[in-house]
Amino acid sequence: WSNALFIHVFMIFIGSSVAPSIYNSAQRVKETITPKEVAFLRFLPEIAEEDAIIVSLVDDGHYIEYFSHRKTVADTNFLQIEDAKQRIKDINTLFTTQSKSIATKIMNKYHARYIYISPTAKKLYGINYLSYEDNDCFQLLYVGDVRLYKSTCE
């Protein structure tokens, strides 16, 4: 009798603890960086200067810094950043604005020269490209799973 009770409690534990953990882990893996993104970020130093600053989603920032050794406007480590909320607001504006002049001001504010659009950013903002892309001030340098733009206007 006590063996049956133990097995019953154990099965409830497995069903209520382990199964949701496995499901959540699988979901997080789907939301993480893809092998194609890693390959591009490892190639990024061939495109972007060593002192280049890149605008990306906050969640993509640490991937860029780790794989390409390039600085970003923001990543998930906000401990030493005084204006973190403003940076997030500016990044959101950069991905959603229709205005080339607003985008240029934001890029210049952070001395950024590149905009990295990951598959996650495409999905989050419902975009495939920047609406102000023009090859004048924002040159498209790379198209694939990710997009990379270079800002050339001051």
Side-chain angles (χ1 to χ4, degrees):
W1 176 250
S2 66
N3 247 357
L5 180 62
F6 173 77
I7 290 173
H8 187 66
V9 169
F10 181 74
M11 294 304 285
I12 290 172
F13 170 76
I14 293 294
S16 65
S17 299
V18 176
S21 295
I22 291 170
Y23 174 77
N24 285 334
S25 295
Q27 290 301 103
R28 293 296 289 168
V29 167
K30 286 181 185 177
E31 296 170 4
T32 192
I33 192 168
T34 67
K36 287 182 179 180
E37 286 176 90
V38 171
F40 174 78
L41 292 176
R42 286 190 171 138
F43 176 71
L44 188 56
E46 301 295 321
I47 301 170
E49 305 80 18
E50 192 172 338
D51 62 345
I53 298 173
I54 300 168
V55 176
S56 68
L57 285 183
V58 171
D59 289 341
D60 292 333
H62 61 278
Y63 295 131
I64 293 168
E65 292 178 9
Y66 179 79
F67 289 111
S68 67
H69 307 288
R70 297 299 182 263
K71 293 182 181 180
T72 60
V73 171
D75 61 24
T76 54
N77 184 6
F78 286 119
L79 293 176
Q80 308 245 338
I81 298 177
E82 294 176 12
D83 60 344
K85 287 182 183 178
Q86 184 61 50
R87 286 177 184 248
I88 291 171
K89 182 180 176 191
D90 288 342
I91 290 168
N92 287 333
T93 300
L94 197 60
F95 282 113
T96 59
T97 188
Q98 305 268 330
S99 170
K100 180 171 43 173
S101 65
I102 289 173
T104 300
K105 286 179 187 175
I106 292 170
M107 294 296 286
N108 290 336
K109 177 179 180 179
Y110 298 107
H111 306 287
R113 287 292 159 249
Y114 297 91
I115 302 171
Y116 174 81
I117 303 178
S118 67
T120 305
K122 290 177 183 180
K123 197 182 313 180
L124 179 66
Y125 293 106
I127 61 171
N128 284 315
Y129 57 89
L130 297 173
S131 61
Y132 47 86
E133 169 186 326
D134 65 0
N135 279 333
D136 180 21
C137 287
F138 291 92
Q139 297 174 343
L140 181 60
L141 298 180
Y142 182 85
V143 178
D145 284 0
V146 303
R147 288 177 92 85
L148 184 72
Y149 294 89
K150 183 172 185 176
S151 173
T152 57
C153 292
E154 303 250 346

